[in-house]
């Protein structure tokens, strides 16, 4: 899906936990996430901390969307 | 007797399904689960001396799992390592490939695994290891095991390995010289004649299929851009109105989040059957971050969150279907003036 959205001309960021799979399916902007069943959350944190964590990850994704890239790029910290 | 160590996941070890996908690696003496079928297929030539089990999510989320498992395998001093078969299970296939390659590289023994051709583990590891081509689900066990066992025995005995078609493994891109009975010019003309007649023919030089899409230019002013959310994590309005299948999805859903500022237990859930749904059902923002994007929209950090989101279940879903969904979703997003997409996967 990521590749087809990119092909259609929309910049797309893939937020996922298993980065090698994301690379294989052809995502170009990749943001690694927390865990498979809760990529954008962590049930062990308080509600506030969990939301702060999610916000940090989404902000990273927005930064990826604003970054010019030539090739597949994993946006770590 | 050839000593074999076998790797399987929590499901095939009959420990449990997704709720047990987090179990750390453990090793047990002897045979477990599909090992029984291997034992029969080895016909006394090889023996499974130990079975290593690891939860699929644990393996994917913990890099240390590889070295832990290697240590476990090493102790049994095996002559051959077999992983899976994993069929079309993505995490399991990736785990089988990762651990098989690590065993081959570190313990210098032959390895064999088995997967469905669309398993993401195939593209990751087909160049490194022998992967027997299997069906997309466990119903293909009976077909897969004899091929894996036969290839494993050949490798362990140091016998010559035939072409992919003959042995049943996925082509690794290795070329071998051989003496053909018919000279090249005649083979080429025969092939051309077949092509002209519209008959089946097999090229002797299969071109690799590269399908890379170059990255699009970035969003120039995100404070004015309309951003859309798409997910393969199966987040749907409570009750799953479109009945998106929990695996091998045949469709995607388009849902309104107009006026929605937070996904709650009462309003949204996941239809995905390939991960433990407890966390997403409790708070679907953990997969589809609507709450945070609403905040960012209110603060003017993004222009607008698109009022519709798109969702499907990425669990054993055919690549062809996923590509079709992606193209259709993109068409609708562009028509609605969306400028960038955040796609989340579980």
């Amino acid at each position: 899906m990521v590749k087809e959205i990119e092909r259609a001309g929309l910049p797309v960021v893939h937020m996922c936990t298993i980065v090698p799979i994301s690379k294989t399916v052809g995502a170009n902007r990749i943001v690694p996430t927390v865990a498979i069943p809760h990529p954008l959350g962590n049930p062990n944190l308080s509600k506030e901390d969990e939301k702060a964590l999610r916000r940090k990850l989404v902000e990273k994704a927005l930064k990826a969307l604003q970054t010019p890239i030539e090739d597949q790029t994993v946006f770590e910290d | 007797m050839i000593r074999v160590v076998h790797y399987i996941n929590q499901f095939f070890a009959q420990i449990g399904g997704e709720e047990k996908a987090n179990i750390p690696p453990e090793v047990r003496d002897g045979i477990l689960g599909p090992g029984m079928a291997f034992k029969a297929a080895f016909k006394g030539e090889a023996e499974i001396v130990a079975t290593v089990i690891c939860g699929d999510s644990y393996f994917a989320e913990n890099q240390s799992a590889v070295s832990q498992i290697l240590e476990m395998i090493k102790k049994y001093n095996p002559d051959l390592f077999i992983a899976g078969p994993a069929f079309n299970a993505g995490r399991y296939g990736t785990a089988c490939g990762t651990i098989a390659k690590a065993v081959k590289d570190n313990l210098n023994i032959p390895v064999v695994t088995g997967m469905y051709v669309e398993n993401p583990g195939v593209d990751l590891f087909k160049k490194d290891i022998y992967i027997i081509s299997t069906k997309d689900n466990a119903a293909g066990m009976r077909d897969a095991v004899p091929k894996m066992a036969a290839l494993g025995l050949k490798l362990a005995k140091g016998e010559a390995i035939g072409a992919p078609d003959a042995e049943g493994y996925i082509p690794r891109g290795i070329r071998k010289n051989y003496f053909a009975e018919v000279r090249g010019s005649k083979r080429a003309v025969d092939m051309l004649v077949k092509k002209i007649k519209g008959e089946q023919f097999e090229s002797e030089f299969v071109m690799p299929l590269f399908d890379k899409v170059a990255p699009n230019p970035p969003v120039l002013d995100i404070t004015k851009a309309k951003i859309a959310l798409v997910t393969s994590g199966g987040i749907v309005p409570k009750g799953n109105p479109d009945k998106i299948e929990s695996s091998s999805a045949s469709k995607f859903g388009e849902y309104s989040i107009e006026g929605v500022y937070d996904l709650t237990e009462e309003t949204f859930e996941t239809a995905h059957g390939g991960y433990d749904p407890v966390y997403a059902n409790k708070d679907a923002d953990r997969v589809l971050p609507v709450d945070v994007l609403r905040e960012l929209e209110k603060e003017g950090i993004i222009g607008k969150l698109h009022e519709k989101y798109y969702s499907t279940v990425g669990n054993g879903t055919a690549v062809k279907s996923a590509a079709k969904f992606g193209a259709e979703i993109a068409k609708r997003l562009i028509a609605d003036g969306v400028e960038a997409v955040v796609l989340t996967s579980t």
Side-chain angles (χ1 to χ4, degrees), chain B residues 40-52:
Chain B
F42 286 142
K43 297 192 176 78
E45 286 194 80
E47 183 191 10
I48 294 180
V49 290
T51 305
V52 176

Side-chain angles (χ1 to χ4, degrees), chain A residues 1-18 20-21 23-26 28-29 33-45 47 50-51 54-56 58-59 61-72, chain B residues 57 60-61 90-91 94 120 123-124 211-219 222 227 230-232 275-276 279-280 283 285-287 289 291-293 295-296 299 301-302 312 322-323 325-327 329-330 333-334 338-346:
Chain A
M1 287 208 294
V2 180
K3 192 154 75 180
E4 295 310 314
I5 290 170
E6 189 96 67
R7 201 196 303 273
L10 286 171
V12 51
V13 55
H14 193 204
M15 307 189 75
C16 64
T17 303
I18 314 181
I21 292 187
K23 284 189 177 160
T24 307
V25 301
N28 287 317
R29 293 177 167 89
T33 53
V34 180
I36 291 158
H38 45 81
L40 291 156
N42 182 348
N44 295 323
L45 300 176
K47 230 178 150 45
E50 188 181 16
K51 199 167 173 184
R54 178 153 59 244
R55 178 160 171 145
K56 228 180 93 190
V58 171
E59 283 173 346
L62 296 178
K63 203 183 125 205
L65 287 173
Q66 298 172 81
T67 308
I69 54 166
E70 297 285 320
D71 211 341
Q72 290 189 306
Chain B
S57 289
E61 292 167 6
R91 280 168 306 165
T94 308
D123 273 350
L124 286 168
D211 182 28
K212 276 190 112 176
V213 178
N216 286 309
V219 183
I222 204 142
I227 311 284
V230 178
T231 187
S232 65
Y275 64 90
D276 187 346
Y279 313 103
D283 181 1
D285 291 297
R286 286 167 172 159
V287 177
D291 59 348
V292 162
L293 279 161
E295 265 184 20
L296 294 164
E299 294 168 23
I301 292 169
I302 62 165
T312 189
F325 302 163
I329 291 168
L333 292 174
I334 290 167
V338 167
E339 283 158 74
V341 176
V342 175
L343 194 150
T344 64
S345 288
T346 44

Side-chain angles (χ1 to χ4, degrees), chain B residues 132-341:
Chain B
I132 291 288
S133 179
T134 73
K135 294 202 173 114
D136 64 353
N137 65 70
M141 188 71 82
R142 210 185 300 181
D143 184 51
V145 167
K147 289 182 193 162
M148 288 173 69
L151 182 60
L153 287 176
K154 272 191 171 183
L155 286 166
K157 289 191 268 188
E159 292 175 9
I161 303 302
D165 275 356
E167 308 279 1
Y169 64 88
I170 292 169
R172 299 179 58 185
I174 296 169
R175 294 211 187 95
K176 252 185 166 171
N177 291 328
Y178 72 100
F179 286 101
E181 284 175 17
V182 182
R183 69 174 188 273
S185 53
K186 179 155 189 337
R187 300 205 305 276
V189 171
D190 287 349
M191 216 183 288
L192 180 65
V193 169
K194 277 190 178 172
K195 186 172 182 177
I196 291 168
K197 281 190 187 163
E199 287 173 9
Q200 283 279 341
F201 66 94
E202 239 173 84
S203 170
E204 294 181 16
F205 190 79
V206 183
M207 299 304 286
L209 207 71
F210 288 117
D211 182 28
K212 276 190 112 176
V213 178
N216 286 309
V219 183
L220 291 178
D221 186 357
I222 204 142
T223 65
K224 295 206 169 63
K226 194 198 266 188
I227 311 284
L229 273 172
V230 178
T231 187
S232 65
I235 303 303
V236 291
K238 192 102 179 170
N240 189 9
D242 293 324
K243 305 242 174 316
I244 297 177
E245 299 88 342
S246 62
S247 72
S248 306
S250 68
K251 58 191 138 191
F252 67 87
E254 174 189 271
Y255 304 109
S256 169
I257 40 169
E258 217 178 328
V260 175
Y261 290 84
D262 187 19
L263 308 182
T264 66
E265 205 175 347
E266 289 74 34
T267 51
F268 289 87
E269 65 182 3
T270 181
H272 202 294
Y275 64 90
D276 187 346
V278 173
Y279 313 103
N281 285 342
K282 189 95 188 147
D283 181 1
D285 291 297
R286 286 167 172 159
V287 177
L288 194 77
V290 171
D291 59 348
V292 162
L293 279 161
R294 283 297 186 202
E295 265 184 20
L296 294 164
E297 179 184 43
K298 205 173 135 199
E299 294 168 23
I301 292 169
I302 62 165
K304 190 172 166 30
L305 174 62
H306 186 39
E307 62 272 18
K308 285 180 251 174
Y309 80 89
Y310 295 86
S311 178
T312 189
V313 165
N315 181 25
T317 301
V319 173
K320 209 171 141 195
S321 307
K324 200 178 75 188
F325 302 163
E328 175 60 28
I329 291 168
K331 213 162 88 187
R332 295 194 201 177
L333 292 174
I334 290 167
D336 282 341
V338 167
E339 283 158 74
V341 176

